[in-house]
Amino acid sequence: MSGAEGNGFGRRRFLAVGGGLAALAVTGCGSNTGRASSGSSSGGKPTLSQWYHQYGEPGTQQAVQRYAKEYPDATVTVQWSPGDYDKKTASALLTDGGPDVFEYGNGPSIDMIKGGQVVDLTDLLGDAKSDFTPSLIARMSYQGKLYGIPQVTDMQLLVYRKSVLSAAGVQPPQTVDELLAAAKKLTTAKMKGLFVGNDGGVGILGGPALWSAGLDYLKDDNTFGFDDPAAVESLRKLRELFTSKSLLLGAPTDWSDPSAFTQGLTAMQFTGLWTFPQIQKALGDDFGVLPWPKLNASTGAPSVPVGAYASSVSAKSKNVDAAKKFVKWLWVDQTDKQLDWAQSYGFHIPARKSLIEKADKLKSGPAADAARFVNENGHAQTPLLWTPKSGTAYSDALNRIIKNGSDPATEIKAVKAVVEAELKRIAG
Amino acid sequence: MSVSAPARGPITTRLRGRYDRNLWFAVFVGPFVLGLLVFVYIPIVWSVVLSFFDAHNTVTPSKFVGLSNYLDMIRDASFRSSLATFVLFALFIVPTTFVVSLGLALLINRARFARTFFRSVYFLPTACSYVVASLVWKLSIFSGVRFGLMNTVLGWFGIEPIAWLSVTQPPWYWLVIVTARMWLQAGFYMILFLAGLQRISPSLYEAAAIDGAGGWKVLRFITLPQLRATSTAVLLLLLINAFQAFDEFYNLLSSSGQYPPYARPPLVYLYYAALGQGQDFGHGSAGAVILTLLIALVALGQNRVLGLGRRED
């Protein structure tokens, strides 16, 4: 799709959107699907294909291949997918050439579940259920059934340079107003105060802005959650931040990469837990962590977004039972592999409480703080019923509020209309 | 061959044709027709079919919804605004690229030395991937930090760094998109114009010179009329390209799984709606059909005015 056929004729690009996908489905993609030969057995063992997105950390691919090889009851082939994994997987699930077992960010989407593309995994957890982070299990369940098993917890949080803050006489901010003041004070000719992504926070602050005002995407009864003056106030603060000239914009790397922070382009950055090894290497102990602060002294609470890649089983698999057994073996039974996966390569928090206690890297310093935030301030990135269409409506609104200065109250009303139509579609 | 011909049944013989011409025709053309059918025509038809169904997460839908996908797309303010933006974008980019590439072609055609060199220099960007060019534009030339190329230049004049792709007031992102597109495309159309220019008979210019015509007059009364076929083709290609804009937009402006609501080409909007986690093929296909119709309409209208394929007089 994002190739370089700039000078083609109409039908070529038209195809790329509408029909290209159908073609993909018709021909079953034709490419290597990760299975040796679909459904066949080698030496009496079933054959399974397992898909992962490309993890950035060295050693991860070898690790998952090793796990797959050690599984005694099936021949598991791992497909490691660089590029746009979500879209690739979603399309492959429509075909017979898709994976048997695959991971998906925050579990399968509501439309995958409603479309019957993934199978119910509720019975795999058994006694271990209470050991998994409850917010993650809740996020991956629909109508009491579990569709994904969390592999590892990821989170986003605010990191700051201790030395820079103390040199400027700034205390770690506890409210959004303090954060704005701190960012302003920390901004110099060479360093900006805060970095929340090159889009000014549109991509990652949508959730924290609501939680910090004591609200959420949806209410507990699955109705629209932020038609509220506090949300208006909170979104207005993001606009204020954008126009304050203390925000780093147009950096060579985005929020998910620590380079802007480690290279001294910014004093504070909202980023992911996975950047810790690089930050520690560059700055040693000279950094601290905070959750996104609450709106003001009287409203809201600090928050951090929490997400997880989860392992799911495709309903089109020819060996659903064998696939379920493999998922249970790897992501429920083999706790040493789960700990290895969370700790040995990148920097993640295990998805199970008993393993968090065993994780040496989480026992002290900023990492221990981060693990504490997950339990005390963690929110699932977006609710299961928050569909991509709702997501687009909200990020469009955030763009207009933050970048153009549109009135948040009007924009929230527009989002509400889209979200309510989507909720109705799902319920119907 | 004719020796063994009588042994065959008359029908097979007739089917294979004289000297097996039909057979060879099938052998050479068949695979391509098959490929075209499987990868182009069936998907197009399929996409049209999908546009009449509720097709969330499936390409074999069962719930027929009639025209409601089309109505939804037409009522969708975001889709309408993406279409409107792109009509404006086309109105700007088509004439600009046309003039620039024609200008380059005229200059190079008259160059007295290093003609091949200049021709290659201007054509080379065409060989560059849109994705790579977008990254160069985004990360190096129009990077928002003070050491980005443009900001360094501005810095010499004491102007503060501009976050080119992040701000919307003023909409600097258009500057980034348009320059990237011009750099990538102008060379290709320049080559088309050059080919057209070289087909013009020198005797026309000689006659004009004898009549005392020069400069603008030659351009206006000889070069441009003679280039009409090329110009029409170039305009059509430019127009289709403008509506199909995707690569550089997507790579310059998308971030963290979202694309801003401004400068959003229809294809990018449909991409987010139909692919990704959206997987809403019904609405996506309906949008694609609307877009195709729009392109066809505009192209037909343009043909009426300019006349592609009309015999040159």
Side-chain angles (χ1 to χ4, degrees), chain A residues 1-11 13-15 17-19 21-23 25-27 84 86-87 90-91 94 104 111-112 117 189-190 198-199 202-203 239 242 245 248-252 254-255 265 388 392 395-396 399-400 403-404 425, chain B residues 38-40 43-44 46-47 56-59 78 126 129-131 139 143-147 163 166-169 185 188-189 237 240-241 244-247 250-251 255-256 258-262 264 267 270-271 275-279 281 288-289 292:
Chain A
M1 257 322 284
S2 46
E5 333 95 315
N7 302 308
F9 269 97
R11 57 166 199 273
R13 288 282 189 81
F14 160 70
L15 248 182
V17 159
L21 229 106
V26 171
T27 57
D84 204 335
D86 284 4
K87 295 186 175 70
S91 337
L94 301 171
Y104 212 69
D111 284 306
M112 285 182 187
Q117 294 183 314
K190 296 208 161 161
N198 288 321
D199 54 12
V202 172
R239 166 69 179 170
F242 188 76
K245 290 190 191 292
L248 176 64
L249 293 167
D254 217 343
W255 64 272
L265 296 178
T392 302
S395 77
D396 282 6
N399 260 301
R400 293 194 196 99
K403 295 184 180 173
N404 301 349
R425 175 179 73 80
Chain B
V38 170
F39 291 107
V40 178
I44 288 178
W46 200 309
S47 173
H56 280 92
N57 283 53
T58 174
V59 287
S78 311
T126 307
S129 148
Y130 273 53
V131 179
L139 299 180
S143 160
V145 285
R146 75 199 128 74
F147 45 76
S166 299
V167 295
T168 55
Q169 294 160 331
Q185 294 198 340
F188 175 75
Y189 297 105
L237 286 175
I240 292 173
N241 256 331
Q244 290 179 329
F246 183 92
D247 301 339
Y250 185 77
N251 286 292
S255 71
S256 339
Q258 57 98 21
Y259 190 96
Y262 49 84
R264 177 161 56 192
L267 277 190
L270 294 175
Y271 177 66
L275 303 177
Q277 298 190 349
Q279 298 283 312
F281 300 115
V289 171
T292 313

Side-chain angles (χ1 to χ4, degrees), chain A residues 26 34 46 155 260 273 312:
Chain A
V26 171
M155 65 168 312
L273 185 67
S312 297

Side-chain angles (χ1 to χ4, degrees), chain A residues 14 24 52 98 108 119 156 170 177 210 244 273 275 281 330 334 344-345 353:
Chain A
F14 160 70
L24 217 72
Y52 289 94
V119 302
Q156 293 156 23
V170 173
D177 283 323
L210 301 180
S244 67
L273 185 67
T275 59
K281 205 171 158 195
L330 182 54
Q334 298 284 310
S344 303
Y345 313 99
K353 290 173 212 159

Side-chain angles (χ1 to χ4, degrees), chain B residues 211-264:
Chain B
D211 287 346
W216 286 112
K217 274 197 174 150
V218 173
L219 180 69
R220 165 75 185 78
F221 293 105
I222 297 180
T223 312
L224 288 184
Q226 289 288 319
L227 276 179
R228 204 182 71 185
T230 316
S231 309
T232 320
V234 166
L235 274 181
L236 189 68
L237 286 175
L238 276 172
L239 198 79
I240 292 173
N241 256 331
F243 276 99
Q244 290 179 329
F246 183 92
D247 301 339
E248 72 274 41
F249 284 82
Y250 185 77
N251 286 292
L252 284 170
L253 287 176
S254 70
S255 71
S256 339
Q258 57 98 21
Y259 190 96
Y262 49 84
R264 177 161 56 192

Side-chain angles (χ1 to χ4, degrees), chain A residues 135-370:
Chain A
S135 62
L136 292 176
I137 293 293
R139 173 63 179 76
M140 290 157 199
S141 301
Y142 181 61
Q143 294 180 338
K145 287 178 182 164
L146 182 70
Y147 292 93
I149 301 207
Q151 298 174 174
V152 76
T153 309
D154 267 315
M155 65 168 312
Q156 293 156 23
L157 75 179
L158 203 59
V159 296
Y160 63 92
R161 280 278 280 277
K162 282 181 183 164
S163 59
V164 175
L165 263 71
S166 60
V170 173
Q171 289 298 315
Q174 303 300 321
T175 65
V176 171
D177 283 323
E178 284 179 31
L179 181 69
L180 257 72
K184 217 167 245 177
K185 211 166 169 195
L186 292 167
T187 300
T188 63
K190 296 208 161 161
M191 186 188 266
K192 291 285 188 184
L194 175 64
F195 184 44
V196 292
N198 288 321
D199 54 12
V202 172
I204 50 168
L205 290 183
L210 301 180
W211 304 320
S212 83
L215 303 162
D216 207 338
Y217 288 93
L218 300 174
K219 289 183 184 150
D220 288 340
D221 58 353
N222 284 329
T223 53
F224 188 72
F226 54 97
D227 188 3
D228 190 291
V232 174
E233 172 69 12
S234 187
L235 295 181
R236 208 166 263 146
K237 291 287 174 202
L238 294 185
R239 166 69 179 170
E240 205 180 314
L241 192 60
F242 188 76
T243 51
S244 67
K245 290 190 191 292
S246 54
L247 207 55
L248 176 64
L249 293 167
T253 51
D254 217 343
W255 64 272
S256 56
D257 189 293
S259 303
F261 182 64
T262 56
Q263 291 168 3
L265 296 178
T266 179
M268 302 184 280
Q269 180 177 338
F270 199 69
T271 187
L273 185 67
W274 55 87
T275 59
F276 274 32
Q278 279 165 279
I279 297 179
Q280 265 159 353
K281 205 171 158 195
L283 303 176
D285 290 334
D286 185 20
F287 76 103
V289 294
L290 287 170
W292 187 256
K294 58 185 176 182
L295 185 57
N296 54 47
S298 58
T299 317
S303 63
V304 291
V306 173
Y309 266 96
S311 201
S312 297
V313 172
S314 164
K316 286 214 164 154
S317 165
K318 293 195 176 64
N319 292 303
V320 170
D321 288 329
K324 279 169 81 172
K325 253 185 218 152
F326 171 64
V327 170
K328 179 171 163 28
W329 176 82
L330 182 54
W331 297 114
V332 182
D333 298 341
Q334 298 284 310
T335 45
D336 55 328
K337 291 193 174 60
Q338 292 155 31
L339 192 62
D340 175 62
W341 182 237
Q343 294 284 293
S344 303
Y345 313 99
F347 200 89
H348 312 272
I349 299 176
R352 305 172 66 157
K353 290 173 212 159
S354 61
L355 294 181
I356 297 180
E357 284 157 19
K358 282 190 200 161
D360 291 331
K361 285 188 188 169
L362 297 175
K363 285 193 173 135
S364 62
D369 292 337

